[in-house]
Amino acid sequence: MASPLDSEDDIFENLQKRVDPKLQEEKSRAIHERQRGQYEKAQKRLAELIDNNSTLPCTISSIRILNANHTRVGFLERIFKPLLSANQDRPYTLAEAIREVSIGAEKLHKL
């Protein structure tokens, strides 16, 4: 029966062995392909969800703006406060909400 110390020596020996650069590159490429596939699958799923629910009503109850530490609150409110559902006479559809928030984000991006 092997002692735990012997298995530790095997681990260190395996770590000290040189890795074939071609094998390492192949492994790296496989990892990147798998990640890209997962990302593409997630993007497809998100697009399907938005498409299937684009006509359903939705509510915007709050908006959080990150990394705008040097922007006046009054300026941000003037852009985004009208988007809140409490300030609307009817609910947004999901497509309308995404479009309106995108317009507000684009205004900030132009700064």
Side-chain angles (χ1 to χ4, degrees), residues 37-88:
Q38 290 172 344
Y39 176 77
E40 288 173 359
K41 185 177 179 181
Q43 291 291 11
K44 251 187 198 177
R45 179 67 180 136
L46 183 58
E48 286 175 11
L49 282 171
I50 290 172
D51 189 46
N52 291 341
N53 296 303
S54 65
T55 58
L56 295 177
C58 70
T59 301
I60 301 174
S61 59
S62 67
I63 296 174
R64 182 182 303 177
I65 300 164
L66 303 175
N67 299 324
N69 301 335
H70 302 292
T71 307
R72 290 187 330 262
V73 175
F75 175 77
L76 296 173
E77 284 180 348
R78 193 171 57 223
I79 295 173
F80 291 105
K81 195 170 184 178
L83 301 180
L84 297 177
S85 294
N87 299 329
Q88 298 294 317

